[in-house]
Amino acid sequence: MNRVRVRQLWFAATLLISLFLMLIPLPGPLTPFKPYWPALILLYWCLQSGDRVTLGLAFCLGVAADLFDGVLLGEQALRLTAMVFIALRFRSRLRFFPMWQQSLAVLGFLVNDRILLLLVRVFGGDPLPPAEYWISPLVGAALWPFVFLILDDLRARLRIHDA
Amino acid sequence: MALNRDDKSPLFAPGVAGTLRLIVYLALACVLMVLDHRGGWLANVRYGLSLVVEPVYRIAGLPSQGFQAATVAFADRQRLTEQNQRLREDLLLANAKLNRMASVAEQNTRLKELLDTQHSLSLNVQLARLIGVDLGTFRHRIVLNVGARDKVQPGQVVIDARGVMGQIVDVMPTTSVAMLITDPNHAIPVTIERTGLRTIAYGSRAGDLLTLPNIPVSADVQVGDKLVTSGLGGRFPPGFPVGEIRDVAQTASGTFLSAQAKPAADLDRSEDVLLLHDLAESAGPPPPAPNVGPPSDMKPDPNAPPAPTLPAVTSPTATPLPARAATAGSPAGSTP
């Protein structure tokens, strides 16, 4: 009982932390290198416990992220829902990929996400973004193994500690 | 690991997420976006939810604050002393300039009073601090620590010590969001200080520059020209520095010159900014000159109440005031 509770708390806490990480600024020149944290964390949970992540959750997280960002409401909701849908569809296969292949898959997800964002912004009347716009997915994919291992390790520790 | 829970999701079947649900959620997101883009009732929802958002901003701003505090704490004494010395010199210089300016300003006010205009050199400002929050990478927005409770309104101009930074676009109870002049969706009416040429400076897509895409080919524009606000459009008061021309070139079509300018304000370094309180006077035809002629209490007034005479103190001001109020309120005043 208590163990389930702790796991749920941990789940919610990681999602919240991802939102905070999204808001915390990096020093000026590093700004384009910032990965899209909510997507990374959500992908991790998709792969690790797919029954907990649903499209509805992705949608809610996206709306919350939009509220924090203060831009178009529903933009990140759309992006995260689409990403989670694809990730859940290929979940069983993704889980057995070696780490470098998983990283490539994550790169694909993040690039797809950027393309969606580009579509939304261009439809909204914004001009095309500069070239640095495409750096962030690469950074996200490069960080993926570390995110995955760290979160996995923390999860294992929590469970051991709790049992 | 979590393998035991996986019996129901087979290896190569779609299974878990239904396409229908995806479509529903995507449609919902699209509806939200359209509603928000049209700027309807969602603004009110946002204002309500900002009660949740604001504490998050404050917390998310803590790391950068801490970083700054750490920089100050670990800065070596040498550098601080140097900085202090430099600031002292700057202050001395600024004070000297101010003293000289004070007499000029006074003279100016006197002359302006003589001319009966309402332009004033004094600034009615409010100090605000930046909150270190990242609102998306290519969004030129900043978060300030003042909001509706400090009587901030959308459209107020944000400046720093060197020039115009932007304007308030979104107000929450205790924070507000400002759009910088480098935002691609932002435009600011400017004049080139040297020649007086009026034009418009847009934010640019790449980096932290301003573009002036439509300068007439025959115009005299040089690298190093200073841009100041022109005051047209009634949003930015005239005379604030905006930027400095960096390069001028012909557009591809050859019909216009296009220039790039560097903003005068320290857009990515300022910590404290100023909010101008009084918005610019709305542009348009000037108010009609006050009647010069026989005093107004001598002519018959059809609206006057049957009371025999007005008190002598109020009567001279009683006539010009309605005329001015009527001009200021008219819709013609909103366009240059």
Side-chain angles (χ1 to χ4, degrees):
Chain A
M1 186 61 205
N2 195 15
R3 201 170 112 175
V4 174
R5 189 78 177 275
V6 167
R7 262 196 267 156
Q8 271 171 357
L9 268 180
W10 170 236
F11 177 64
T14 51
L15 292 184
L16 249 179
I17 288 171
S18 76
L19 289 185
F20 272 117
L21 281 177
M22 182 186 73
L23 280 178
I24 290 174
L26 290 183
L30 290 183
T31 321
F33 294 93
K34 191 160 143 182
Y36 185 30
W37 287 109
L40 286 181
I41 306 284
L42 209 56
L43 275 179
Y44 167 78
W45 284 113
C46 269
L47 297 195
Q48 273 307 357
S49 61
D51 48 350
R52 212 179 294 173
V53 178
T54 59
L55 290 184
L57 179 88
F59 186 82
C60 293
L61 186 73
V63 169
D66 281 327
L67 267 179
F68 289 161
D69 250 4
V71 285
L72 207 55
L73 206 58
E75 175 194 289
Q76 300 194 44
L78 179 96
R79 286 156 61 196
L80 289 180
T81 315
M83 175 184 291
V84 164
F85 177 76
I86 307 172
L88 284 181
R89 201 152 249 231
F90 294 108
R91 169 168 182 261
S92 316
R93 266 172 276 179
L94 283 176
R95 284 174 55 116
F96 293 106
F97 278 179
M99 196 46 91
W100 65 273
Q101 279 182 14
Q102 241 179 42
S103 277
L104 279 185
V106 168
L107 177 67
F109 284 137
L110 291 176
V111 168
N112 179 43
D113 175 68
R114 284 266 139 167
I115 293 173
L116 266 182
L117 173 63
L118 186 71
L119 278 182
V120 169
R121 293 227 171 134
V122 168
F123 269 122
D126 279 8
L128 286 177
E132 297 104 58
Y133 179 80
W134 301 101
I135 297 179
S136 164
L138 296 174
V139 177
L143 279 181
W144 171 254
F146 303 100
V147 172
F148 189 88
L149 291 178
I150 290 172
L151 280 178
D152 228 27
D153 188 50
L154 282 174
R155 203 171 82 123
R157 268 163 206 258
L158 270 185
R159 191 181 283 178
I160 289 163
H161 176 76
D162 201 49
Chain B
M1 308 288 284
L3 280 176
N4 49 356
R5 261 192 272 122
D6 254 15
D7 299 334
K8 59 182 188 276
S9 77
L11 203 52
F12 287 104
V16 194
T19 319
L20 187 67
R21 297 224 318 271
L22 173 77
I23 291 171
V24 168
Y25 279 122
L26 290 191
L28 203 58
C30 289
V31 167
L32 263 182
M33 276 192 280
V34 169
L35 280 179
D36 197 26
H37 193 62
R38 301 270 160 193
W41 47 271
L42 276 182
N44 300 331
V45 177
R46 271 198 181 179
Y47 191 85
L49 285 176
S50 60
L51 285 180
V52 185
V53 173
E54 282 179 341
V56 174
Y57 279 176
R58 304 269 168 170
I59 297 172
L62 284 182
S64 65
Q65 250 180 46
F67 183 72
Q68 215 180 345
T71 335
V72 174
F74 294 113
D76 55 343
R77 192 156 161 269
Q78 174 85 27
R79 204 157 59 83
L80 282 181
T81 323
E82 265 172 31
Q83 198 180 16
N84 199 326
Q85 183 65 31
R86 197 163 40 77
L87 288 176
R88 257 171 221 276
E89 283 167 14
D90 281 358
L91 183 68
L92 207 63
L93 197 66
N95 268 337
K97 275 189 189 160
L98 266 183
N99 284 336
R100 215 180 50 184
M101 289 298 286
S103 63
V104 180
E106 201 178 318
Q107 188 184 20
N108 193 307
T109 351
R110 220 160 356 101
L111 291 173
K112 289 252 167 88
E113 269 170 19
L114 281 180
L115 287 172
D116 193 29
T117 56
Q118 298 152 332
H119 300 281
S120 68
L121 284 178
S122 66
L123 291 175
N124 188 5
V125 295
Q126 179 179 14
L127 189 71
R129 283 189 77 88
L130 253 64
I131 299 181
V133 170
D134 184 9
L135 296 184
T137 309
F138 298 102
R139 301 260 160 198
H140 302 251
R141 314 255 163 140
I142 49 175
V143 182
L144 304 177
N145 71 344
V146 291
R149 284 190 199 150
D150 309 288
K151 309 243 174 9
V152 174
Q153 292 165 0
Q156 273 191 321
V157 179
V158 183
I159 61 172
D160 75 351
R162 291 161 198 243
V164 177
M165 292 184 76
Q167 56 177 308
I168 302 283
V169 288
D170 204 359
V171 179
M172 286 175 270
T174 63
T175 52
S176 53
V177 178
M179 183 192 261
L180 298 178
I181 50 173
T182 47
D183 189 293
N185 290 324
H186 194 275
I188 174 170
V190 294
T191 49
I192 292 173
E193 202 176 36
R194 187 170 57 84
T195 59
L197 177 83
R198 291 188 310 272
T199 180
I200 295 180
Y202 297 88
S204 70
R205 163 172 99 76
D208 301 324
L209 288 176
L210 299 167
T211 54
L212 294 79
N214 39 18
I215 305 171
V217 178
S218 59
D220 172 23
V221 181
Q222 291 170 7
V223 173
D225 280 353
K226 298 257 195 309
L227 302 173
V228 297
T229 49
S230 69
L232 294 178
R235 177 59 60 89
F236 294 92
F240 284 98
V242 174
E244 189 182 312
I245 302 268
R246 274 299 164 87
D247 78 305
V248 186
Q250 244 180 6
T251 51
S253 63
T255 45
F256 287 107
L257 291 178
S258 141
Q260 303 264 332
K262 186 178 176 299
D266 280 337
L267 293 183
D268 49 356
R269 280 195 298 279
S270 299
E271 277 295 317
D272 297 296
V273 299
L274 295 174
L275 288 183
L276 292 193
H277 257 302
D278 25 25
L279 301 178
E281 292 151 40
S282 56
N291 284 333
V292 277
S296 55
D297 52 354
M298 287 178 70
K299 77 175 175 200
D301 191 354
N303 295 334
T309 47
L310 291 166
V313 190
T314 55
S315 51
T317 56
T319 358
L321 264 182
R324 198 169 295 159
T327 343
S330 73
S334 59
T335 50

